[in-house]
Amino acid sequence: MGFEVWPEAIELGELFNEHGYELALVGGPVRDLLLNRPSHDLDFCTSARPEEFEPILRKWGHGFWDMGRKFGTLGAMKRREDGSEIGVEVTTYRSDTYDPDSRKPEVNYGDSLEGDLSRRDFTVNAMALRVPQCEFVDPFGGANDLQKKILRTPVDPEQSFDDDPLRMMRAVRFVAQLGFSIEPATAEAITNMVDRISIVSAERVRDELTKLLLSDNPHAGIEALVDSGLADEVLPEIPALQLEMDEHHRHKDVFQHTLMVLDRAIALETGPDGPVPAPDLTLRLAAIMHDIGKPRTRRFEAGGKVSFHHHDYVGAKMTRKRLKALRFDHHVVEDVTDLVALHLRFHGYIDEPWTDAAVRRYVRDAGHLYHRLNRLTRADATTQNKRKSQMFSDAMDDMEARVIELKKREDIDAIRPDLDGQQIMEILGLEPGPEVGRARKHMLDFRLDNGPTDYDAAVAELKRWYAEEA
């Protein structure tokens, strides 16, 4: 089997060999070699202990780091002639044992490459390439599984997932990233053991979910997450979308609709210089969360109709709670929550085009999320009725064109009242307090309704309002 191996891997292998140590390229880089996919960082394992190979790494590269020393891992960077860099991490052969109530391994050094490979998550990641001799090592049939595009554990799957439950999340993530399917016995073990995911930290689950959503095919990953039962544990709002439809099918399958919205939103992401560069975590999270308020708000109305009144606001509260529990960054939590809350806002425009004041309010309320909100709104219009679909698209085009025209005349992205708080207090003779806040809110509403006005007109409006309030 021939490989075009990174020259840095060969060079490092020769250095280890000179000192009498084994070195092998392992895991993702080997898998990517076989798939002809690029790898920007290289992972190795070695017979040497960290204190033995540290001098080799320090001499070979630069930017040495040792954050993983307690796990037997050291790393370095290598600068190439073209100015690019490649990162490497080297880990001593491992033979881990796990505490049943924790996914943190007790590190025991191993004595063989094959033993190290046996403790890896899937056979496609349990292949190695000894360097510098480029000897391919595949004790568990990973290359065959790679060809078949299946995920299988090197050892008994229940033992593997019991040792490290996070591997179950990695399985569904690889479905999305690599387009693989989960081998039946492995899939069955995941379904039987989903409750074990509870010992994994929210941050680790979040990281796997993020990688899934930013992959080439998050649709398949979300389906695998739900089918496996893992979603019931880590993102229960999504399987809850699988509502039983009434016998007349008066509403859509919300789960399938959500997956369609996800696909459509991804298709609306832009190039690197556009307003929503792909892949966009915020937009993709909003797409899968936008309708999670529907199960709680579903009502069967007279005449057989089904309603989901206020599912946008209910869903926004649910979104904030779930994303906070998963330890997403504060700005991600707030942005996704706002998108869910606003995702129905545009729909009134179709029946009756808005005034300029309403357009200004839409842009102001959307703020920096304006382009994402428009894409989420377009993605959510999944009707199969061509006439309705065209009407919706035309209305959105019209609104966006009006925003462009308004922006030529005024800075609607940064609308402020024509009078600030200090001016309001001076004009009305007020001290700081709630009354100033109410006056400022009125002047903001006045600005949104009427566009920019001169100072005298703003003062006259403030005095008129205050006289009525008094």
Side-chain angles (χ1 to χ4, degrees):
M1 187 177 291
F3 296 93
E4 187 176 341
V5 183
W6 294 269
E8 294 84 4
I10 302 298
E11 181 185 10
L12 200 56
E14 290 171 345
L15 289 174
F16 273 68
N17 190 48
E18 287 173 10
H19 289 79
Y21 304 131
E22 297 176 4
L23 186 70
L25 192 66
V26 291
V30 179
R31 182 195 70 222
D32 291 340
L33 265 179
L34 295 176
L35 291 174
N36 292 314
R37 288 163 54 106
S39 248
H40 304 294
D41 297 302
L42 305 181
D43 295 323
F44 297 87
C45 62
T46 180
S47 59
R49 301 291 190 263
E51 64 273 12
E52 294 173 326
F53 69 80
E54 179 175 345
I56 301 175
L57 268 191
R58 285 187 180 275
K59 182 179 179 181
W60 173 81
H62 71 281
F64 175 85
W65 66 88
D66 65 352
M67 288 87 76
R69 185 183 292 273
K70 66 180 179 180
F71 300 111
T73 301
L74 305 177
M77 299 294 293
K78 181 75 168 180
R79 186 173 290 113
R80 293 162 163 160
E81 291 183 2
D82 63 2
S84 65
E85 293 184 326
I86 189 166
V88 305
E89 286 195 344
V90 182
T91 303
T92 302
Y93 292 155
R94 297 254 291 269
S95 176
D96 296 340
T97 57
Y98 289 80
D99 179 336
D101 298 319
S102 169
R103 71 162 301 272
K104 294 180 180 178
E106 300 170 12
V107 178
N108 297 309
Y109 291 138
D111 55 12
S112 73
L113 173 59
E114 288 75 8
D116 184 277
L117 295 176
S118 72
R119 53 161 290 278
R120 294 179 179 268
D121 53 5
F122 303 106
T123 60
V124 296
N125 292 329
M127 300 178 287
L129 192 68
R130 294 185 188 274
V131 287
Q133 61 269 48
C134 290
E135 175 194 344
F136 182 59
V137 182
D138 182 18
F140 304 103
N144 188 44
D145 288 348
L146 197 65
Q147 189 174 19
K148 293 179 179 177
K149 295 188 174 184
I150 62 171
L151 294 167
R152 183 170 58 87
T153 55
V155 297
D156 178 77
E158 294 202 356
Q159 176 191 330
S160 181
F161 298 143
D162 194 53
D163 284 346
D164 185 358
L166 186 66
R167 289 170 177 165
M168 297 186 288
M169 285 293 297
R170 286 170 62 82
V172 297
R173 188 247 291 182
F174 284 133
V175 168
Q177 279 188 330
L178 301 175
F180 286 15
S181 60
I182 303 173
E183 179 264 337
T186 304
E188 183 180 2
I190 294 175
T191 299
N192 292 339
M193 300 179 68
V194 288
D195 59 325
R196 286 283 290 156
I197 202 70
S198 63
I199 72 165
V200 179
S201 72
E203 290 83 357
R204 299 300 299 275
V205 171
R206 173 205 63 207
D207 290 347
E208 290 299 325
L209 184 61
T210 297
K211 291 173 184 176
L212 185 161
L213 285 172
L214 295 179
S215 71
D216 290 340
N217 191 6
H219 179 133
I222 294 295
E223 283 189 319
L225 193 72
V226 171
D227 291 344
S228 67
L230 280 169
D232 292 319
E233 304 293 325
V234 302
L235 200 60
E237 295 82 3
I238 302 305
L241 294 173
Q242 295 175 308
L243 299 173
E244 292 183 9
M245 293 194 292
D246 63 285
E247 60 180 337
H248 300 295
H249 301 290
R250 290 190 176 89
H251 63 85
K252 300 172 185 175
D253 179 317
V254 184
F255 177 64
Q256 290 302 322
H257 165 75
T258 294
L259 292 177
M260 188 183 299
V261 172
L262 174 63
D263 291 340
R264 288 164 58 91
I266 291 170
L268 291 170
E269 291 172 343
T270 57
D273 298 325
V276 187
D280 189 81
L281 178 63
T282 299
L283 179 60
R284 296 183 183 198
L285 274 171
I288 66 168
M289 304 297 278
H290 79 284
D291 271 351
I292 63 171
K294 280 190 169 180
R296 290 190 184 180
T297 59
R298 182 169 64 160
R299 298 290 183 272
F300 294 98
E301 309 287 356
K305 291 186 177 180
V306 181
S307 68
F308 303 97
H309 294 309
H310 307 301
H311 78 267
D312 43 352
Y313 298 111
V314 171
K317 289 182 179 179
M318 294 169 65
T319 296
R320 177 178 279 111
K321 183 177 180 181
R322 176 56 55 196
L323 297 189
K324 286 177 71 174
L326 286 169
R327 304 289 193 272
F328 277 96
D329 291 344
H330 174 75
H331 75 275
V332 173
V333 175
E334 294 308 310
D335 285 354
V336 177
T337 298
D338 286 347
L339 286 171
V340 173
L342 292 168
H343 82 273
L344 295 180
R345 181 74 171 271
F346 175 76
H347 286 254
Y349 190 98
I350 303 164
D351 300 324
E352 184 179 348
W354 293 340
T355 62
D356 284 351
V359 173
R360 290 188 194 99
R361 289 177 188 277
Y362 179 86
V363 175
R364 179 179 179 274
D365 291 347
H368 69 282
L369 298 171
Y370 171 76
H371 292 289
R372 287 189 180 101
L373 178 58
N374 287 357
R375 281 160 173 75
L376 177 62
T377 303
R378 285 183 185 271
D380 192 29
T382 60
T383 178
Q384 297 301 304
N385 184 309
K386 290 184 178 180
R387 185 182 64 83
K388 285 185 178 180
S389 178
Q390 191 62 51
M391 283 178 60
F392 187 92
S393 180
D394 290 346
M396 179 64 84
D397 290 345
D398 181 68
M399 191 273 291
E400 289 181 335
R402 289 179 61 191
V403 169
I404 292 171
E405 288 304 310
L406 277 172
K407 284 184 175 182
K408 290 178 181 177
R409 303 198 300 268
E410 53 185 286
D411 186 6
I412 60 175
D413 287 322
I415 289 177
R416 298 288 185 273
D418 293 306
L419 300 171
D420 62 26
Q422 187 62 40
Q423 290 171 313
I424 289 170
M425 287 189 289
E426 290 173 358
I427 293 165
L428 299 180
L430 298 174
E431 295 295 322
E435 206 162 21
V436 178
R438 288 194 294 273
R440 190 178 185 283
K441 181 181 183 305
H442 171 74
M443 294 308 297
L444 177 58
D445 289 339
F446 181 74
R447 167 69 176 79
L448 288 166
D449 289 339
N450 298 279
T453 57
D454 61 35
Y455 178 79
D456 290 340
V459 170
E461 173 58 26
L462 175 64
K463 289 181 177 179
R464 182 202 64 75
W465 170 84
Y466 190 62
E468 286 188 2
E469 286 291 298

